[in-house]
Every structure is written in structure tokens, then in C-alpha cells.
Amino acid sequence: MFNKLTSLFLQSPCLLCDRVTPENICPACDRQLQRQKLTQPAQFWQGDLPLFVWGEYNGILKRSIAALKYNNKPEIAADLGFHLAAAWRTFAPTLPQKKFTIVPIPMYAEKLKQRGFNQAELIGRSFCQATPYRLNSRLLIRQKDTEAMFGLSAKEREQNIKAAFKVQPSRQKLPPVLLIDDIYTTGATARTAAAILRQHHITVAGILAIATSQSQPSKI
Ligand SMILES: [Zn+2]
């Protein structure tokens, strides 16, 4: 009787539909989410900044990320980070490095204040809970909001992006960095972040993302 009551008490509405569940995301939504998973998450693991990405930015995965960011449901980040980690664990044994520093793509302070959390950092946190890696959310700082760049010339845009990040080097030598973000679109932000870290002699091994709208490795 007591157990039944406790489990009833611990149930709450699924963050994506309204079914009651003891998890953040109910089994039915999770099954749908799994359908968005790429069959080859490492298909873009190549080139200057290799990308490892969990799923296709579409359907329920797109809705999950939107709910996480815009409907104030940061708990969704935990599920997404764990899914990414599970996929990574099956892929990582082929990598020579055993250790990585996980660095979330930082958010501009003003925006962080509005939202209250950086989804990339939350995803990174759960990713690190399920892998032996360490999260470092202080290494890279965003000092400019690069999303509002309408009306700028290509050159101004480039300069704007370059000035967007600042590195706060740590005293010890860090294991190679894996950047982490929620969505990978053009990769411009990730490439700039990687370039700035590399200027500080920090090795960047690649970027991890939850979702991408890219379908061909050649587009990267
Ligand atoms: Zn659900």
C-alpha cells in the first residue's frame, strides 16, 4: 500500500506530452525520440572539427529542444545528454584518447540571465555523468551575442563572431576538448570557438551535439 502510494506520488506529467510517468519523459515519447536517432552518429566525425551528433533535428527531437529552451523545461537536457552519452560510449572505443574535457558552447550573460540556464551546459553535465569526462564550463566565455547580426556585412559578421568568445586558460594542462551544444546548424559558432581555444594551444578534438539538420557529411 505504502509503495503504491509513493510511486503514485512520484509520478508527474511527462515533459513532452501530459501522460503521467515516474520519468521526465514517458516511455511512449522516449520511443518516438529514439526514432530521431541517427543510425550513424559518427558519420560527420571527420575534417578539421569532427562532429558527433545524436539525432535528426526534426519531429519530437526538435520539439524537445524547443520545450527545453523556450518552455523552461531544463530537465529535458538530462535525458538528451544521457542519450548522447550512450551513443558516444559505443563509438568512443575507436578513439585513441581516453580522456576529454567537455566544454559547453557558452551563452551570452544577458541571455543566460533571461533563460536562467545554458542548455549546452546542462546537456554537458548529464553527458559527463554517464562518461568518465570532466565538464569545464569556465574555460570558454561568451562576451558578445552573435545571434543578432542582421544587417551586418560579411566582414563585420566575421569580426563579430571572432570577438564573441574569450578563453580563460586553466593552470593545468587539460585533456583534449570536446565542445558540446544542443543544435549544430552551420557549425560557424563551433568553428570559431574551436579556433579561439586552439589559439590558446588547447587541443580541440571535435564537437558533440544533440541534433543537426545536416544530412550529408559533405555539407559540413
Ligand atoms: Zn510523453
Side-chain angles (χ1 to χ4, degrees):
M1 178 68 180
F2 178 74
N3 278 345
K4 257 191 186 164
L5 276 176
T6 334
S7 66
L8 204 68
F9 179 71
L10 291 173
Q11 306 234 348
S12 54
C14 163
L15 295 170
L16 299 176
C17 65
D18 274 327
R19 287 187 197 97
V20 172
T21 169
E23 316 287 338
N24 288 337
I25 294 175
C26 77
C29 287
D30 197 54
R31 270 196 301 276
Q32 272 191 61
L33 204 55
Q34 292 294 339
R35 277 185 222 131
Q36 295 300 123
K37 186 181 176 235
L38 294 172
T39 43
Q40 298 288 340
Q43 63 181 305
F44 306 112
W45 193 260
Q46 57 184 32
D48 185 49
L49 189 65
L51 164 70
F52 185 87
V53 58
W54 187 79
E56 199 182 317
Y57 187 53
N58 227 323
I60 195 169
L61 184 55
K62 193 172 178 177
R63 278 199 286 121
S64 311
I65 295 173
L68 155 65
K69 281 156 74 168
Y70 309 116
N71 296 341
N72 193 29
K73 293 183 177 177
E75 303 87 349
I76 294 175
D79 292 68
L80 298 179
F82 288 140
H83 286 332
L84 183 65
W88 177 260
R89 282 198 306 267
T90 59
F91 164 69
T94 61
L95 286 177
Q97 280 111 353
K98 291 278 184 286
K99 290 250 172 202
F100 289 103
T101 308
I102 306 300
V103 176
I105 294 290
M107 218 167 164
Y108 183 53
E110 199 84 341
K111 212 167 170 191
L112 186 62
K113 222 180 188 179
Q114 276 171 19
R115 191 171 293 165
F117 57 87
N118 174 2
Q119 69 281 354
E121 185 179 349
L122 298 184
I123 291 165
R125 200 178 289 164
S126 66
F127 182 85
C128 288
Q129 279 170 15
T131 56
Y133 312 146
R134 277 225 165 142
L135 184 76
N136 187 331
S137 27
R138 291 188 182 162
L139 184 65
L140 197 61
I141 293 162
R142 189 108 170 208
Q143 42 186 13
K144 232 177 182 182
D145 189 5
T146 46
E147 275 169 37
M149 294 203 294
F150 306 106
L152 296 185
S153 70
K155 190 150 191 221
E156 283 169 328
R157 214 173 263 252
E158 199 191 309
Q159 283 168 344
N160 211 10
I161 291 181
K162 271 193 185 146
F165 296 106
K166 201 175 121 191
V167 175
Q168 286 201 315
S170 75
R171 287 199 189 115
Q172 351 66 312
K173 187 156 169 41
L174 293 172
V177 165
L178 280 173
L179 292 163
I180 193 163
D181 209 355
D182 53 339
I183 308 165
Y184 185 99
T185 41
T186 63
T189 309
R191 276 195 297 276
T192 309
I196 285 170
L197 288 168
R198 285 166 179 164
Q199 274 172 15
H200 285 79
H201 310 288
I202 296 164
T203 308
V204 182
I207 172 145
L208 309 169
I210 296 298
T212 187
S213 43
Q214 304 273 3
S215 54
Q216 295 295 321
S218 58
K219 285 190 194 160
I220 304 246

